[in-house]
Amino acid sequence: MRNVRIGLIIPQRGSAGLWAPSAEACGRLAVTELNQAAGIRRRPVELVVIDGGASGASAGQAAAEAVDELAVDGLVGMLPSYARDPVARAARGRVPFVYTPQFEGLSPNSDVMTTGETARELLAPAIQWLSECKRARRFFLCGNDYIWPRSSLQIARRLIARFGGTVTGEHYVPVGVHDFDEMLDRIKATRSDVVLPVFLGSDCIAFNRAFCAAGLSRHVLRFSSAFDETIVYGLDCSETENVYVASSYFASLRSRNNGAFLERYYTAYGDNPPPANGYGESCYEGIHALAALIERAESFDARDLRRVFGRTLQGRTARGNEAKPVVGGRHPIHLAELDGYDFSVVASR
């Protein structure tokens, strides 16, 4: 009887490629843990790491090859939203597909099982906190020009209005474009209290460097859900002032599950592994989620797994304090202020 083959599809190139090392490390840790137990359905588990490339088309092609040629039994994907549907089309009717990162929250393709937070879940408590605790009223929205930033910031518009604020402007640039001069000029002209940047990976690093070089960081708050430890380590310590981030996972969180996860992570990889972060952790969680669904359904059929999604307990996660959380269940959302390179939680909902 052959091994169970899980395909972990992640971008190893392009703007999102900077998360690949932590995503692969977390994925391999999850598979090691499964094999230390009973594997999946008493069969050893093998991880197949797949490069999704820098576009939706490349991700779809990679997923099709993984199903047709590599004979994977399921796909776990940490990919930008523009790649989600192409991968789902490649997997449809053949293997289950678990999509792990935060996403805009639009009704997902019925063939996709999502485990990440939606934009509304991340934005609502943060915008309320900024409005009430920082008296923020004027918000500028910006990001990459594709579905995740645009849809997320449309949700932000409605939330800002609900909490008494005003959107002072909105500006987008294509993925991979690092010319922010016009955007920064508009931010300066609007005298905004807060900028909401939603940029992908290395684009986020480039924007924040440019933002600080323009002299805006001393006077304008930055709030984002697209900011994590990997982004922070790409910045100078002086470029992290007045930054607030919403996430269900920070490596600095003290919780039952995170403490155990980090102990296993550093035991496996030593003192200097890729930094633990929410995007990498989502791959760890996605693999444990897929394994739990297969065990509960007693099947590898995607239709059977979807029937037990939301009603199945998974073995491990780094988020929250529940010993066995529900696959696809909600976790607390934390709002943190960036202090140098450290995230300090200021509110949790």
Side-chain angles (χ1 to χ4, degrees):
M1 187 176 294
R2 72 174 181 84
N3 294 349
V4 175
R5 308 193 84 193
I6 294 179
L8 176 63
I9 183 164
I10 54 178
Q12 295 180 325
R13 294 166 285 157
S15 296
L18 83 170
W19 287 305
S22 62
E24 181 173 346
C26 289
R28 293 196 181 283
L29 177 61
V31 167
T32 297
E33 292 171 355
L34 291 172
N35 285 329
Q36 287 172 345
I40 295 177
R41 304 209 72 195
R42 300 192 177 278
R43 290 160 54 186
V45 183
E46 176 185 351
L47 187 69
V48 181
V49 179
I50 303 154
D51 180 12
S55 70
S58 65
Q61 181 178 353
E65 291 173 355
V67 175
D68 295 333
E69 300 174 18
L70 302 178
V72 298
D73 297 292
L75 288 170
V76 173
M78 195 288 291
L79 299 152
S81 288
Y82 58 68
R84 184 178 59 242
D85 283 351
V87 171
R89 286 193 293 271
R92 181 173 296 158
R94 298 192 286 173
V95 300
F97 173 36
V98 175
Y99 183 73
T100 69
Q102 60 170 281
F103 69 114
E104 64 283 348
L106 302 177
S107 296
N109 183 304
S110 62
D111 291 308
V112 183
M113 293 173 284
T114 62
T115 57
E117 290 72 39
T118 67
R120 181 176 180 79
E121 290 169 336
L122 292 164
L123 294 173
I127 291 174
Q128 182 177 3
W129 187 89
L130 289 166
S131 299
E132 294 176 354
C133 298
K134 291 295 183 179
R135 298 291 184 262
R137 293 294 180 267
R138 297 172 59 79
F139 294 78
F140 191 96
L141 315 180
C142 57
N144 289 127
D145 191 5
Y146 74 98
I147 184 174
W148 174 47
R150 281 192 173 273
S151 297
S152 297
L153 293 175
Q154 283 300 107
I155 293 167
R157 272 186 172 274
R158 295 192 288 271
L159 291 167
I160 289 165
R162 175 187 298 180
F163 296 116
T166 301
V167 173
T168 58
E170 192 166 359
H171 195 108
Y172 297 92
V173 296
V175 173
V177 170
H178 293 173
D179 181 357
F180 304 108
D181 290 348
E182 182 182 352
M183 183 182 294
L184 295 171
D185 287 343
R186 290 187 61 189
I187 292 170
K188 289 178 182 178
T190 60
R191 298 184 180 274
S192 299
D193 302 316
V194 183
V195 171
L196 271 64
V198 185
F199 291 95
L200 183 63
S202 58
D203 293 4
C204 185
I205 294 174
F207 170 79
N208 281 281
R209 287 175 176 168
F211 184 90
C212 294
L216 287 162
S217 61
R218 293 187 299 276
H219 312 292
V220 184
L221 304 182
R222 283 168 283 170
F223 161 67
S224 181
S225 63
F227 213 105
D228 72 336
E229 289 82 356
T230 312
I231 303 295
V232 171
Y233 295 144
L235 299 173
D236 185 82
C237 189
S238 64
E239 296 169 330
T240 64
E241 64 179 336
N242 287 325
V243 173
Y244 293 84
V245 181
S247 180
S248 67
Y249 181 81
F250 295 106
S252 59
L253 282 172
R254 294 187 177 182
S255 70
R256 173 195 176 280
N257 289 335
N258 192 37
F261 166 75
L262 291 176
E263 181 178 357
R264 295 191 296 269
Y265 189 73
Y266 285 103
T267 297
Y269 299 116
D271 293 335
N272 295 295
N277 62 82
Y279 291 96
E281 190 279 335
S282 79
C283 298
Y284 174 85
E285 178 150 345
I287 289 172
H288 276 294
L290 178 60
L293 292 168
I294 293 169
E295 295 285 4
R296 172 71 185 276
E298 298 183 342
S299 170
F300 290 89
D301 190 299
R303 294 166 296 183
D304 295 332
L305 270 61
R306 288 197 298 274
R307 292 188 189 103
V308 299
F309 186 82
R311 299 188 290 115
T312 298
L313 302 182
Q314 68 188 54
R316 284 181 173 172
T317 177
R319 299 190 290 176
N321 287 295
E322 294 180 76
K324 290 184 177 292
V326 175
V327 173
R330 301 300 88 191
H331 295 272
I333 301 298
H334 308 283
L335 179 65
E337 180 178 9
L338 194 51
D339 179 11
Y341 291 124
D342 299 318
F343 289 100
S344 177
V345 174
V346 297
S348 299
R349 302 284 173 90

